[in-house]
Amino acid sequence: MRHGRKIAKLGRTASHRKAMLSNMMTSLFAHERITTTQTRAKELKRTAERVITFAKQGNLHARRRVLRVIEDKQVVAKLFDELGPRYKSRNGGYTRVVKLGPRRGDGAFMSIVELVDRPGEGAADSVEEKAAEDQGTSTE
């Protein structure tokens, strides 16, 4: 039974999983959109939303807490200078997971993880429409 199991192990040791999520968060905040597998996307969403909540606080202690997870100081500066103020009035839900379908090579279900309310966000609609066309349904 899975009582009390809150994190997906993703087939990795704890240190490898922590490093992988740290790298994925760094890429997400740098590019504001990444493509990954569906289970990784769900775990990334949990950790990234927590980090953005720290960025909204904007104080030194919050910055040091984020630097424990994200080592790239330029990304942390972007997080606190741009992303924190952008989501100041929003209570959670800073990221979106869009399902794409199975990967061609091994059939793993893929997803796009992106930040909501980002500039030039019209691309998310086209991705959803493209995914719907691949499935043979319409989004309208």
Side-chain angles (χ1 to χ4, degrees):
M1 283 190 242
R2 289 194 68 249
H3 296 304
R5 308 279 189 245
K6 293 188 169 136
I7 189 165
K9 293 190 177 184
L10 303 174
R12 281 153 178 75
T13 61
S15 59
H16 188 181
R17 185 170 53 245
K18 180 180 173 187
M20 182 188 68
L21 288 173
S22 172
N23 289 334
M24 289 174 69
M25 271 192 288
T26 302
S27 297
L28 176 65
F29 296 139
H31 305 292
E32 300 192 10
R33 177 182 192 167
I34 62 170
T35 304
T36 185
T37 61
Q38 196 168 333
T39 44
R40 287 181 188 172
K42 289 179 182 179
E43 288 302 315
L44 176 64
K45 180 179 172 109
R46 292 180 62 212
T47 53
E49 298 223 355
R50 199 162 178 194
V51 168
I52 292 173
T53 303
F54 280 124
K56 282 173 50 177
Q57 293 174 6
N59 56 18
L60 181 61
H61 181 61
R63 186 177 292 261
R64 287 179 176 163
R65 293 278 308 261
V66 169
L67 280 167
R68 290 180 191 174
V69 180
I70 300 174
E71 296 178 5
D72 190 350
K73 292 185 180 181
Q74 293 176 340
V75 172
V76 173
K78 177 182 179 181
L79 187 62
F80 277 80
D81 296 340
E82 295 177 26
L83 301 179
R86 184 191 306 175
Y87 298 118
K88 199 68 170 174
S89 62
R90 192 177 187 98
N91 294 325
Y94 315 114
T95 58
R96 168 187 304 127
V97 177
V98 179
K99 296 179 183 179
L100 291 179
R103 183 164 48 195
R104 184 179 174 109
D106 60 355
F109 288 100
M110 300 299 288
S111 296
I112 292 177
V113 182
E114 61 185 0
L115 300 175
V116 298
D117 296 340
R118 61 190 178 96
E121 193 174 301
D125 298 331
S126 65
V127 168
E128 290 173 347
E129 289 174 5
K130 182 179 177 187
E133 289 173 9
D134 291 342
Q135 299 295 332
T137 60
S138 172
T139 57
E140 297 174 13

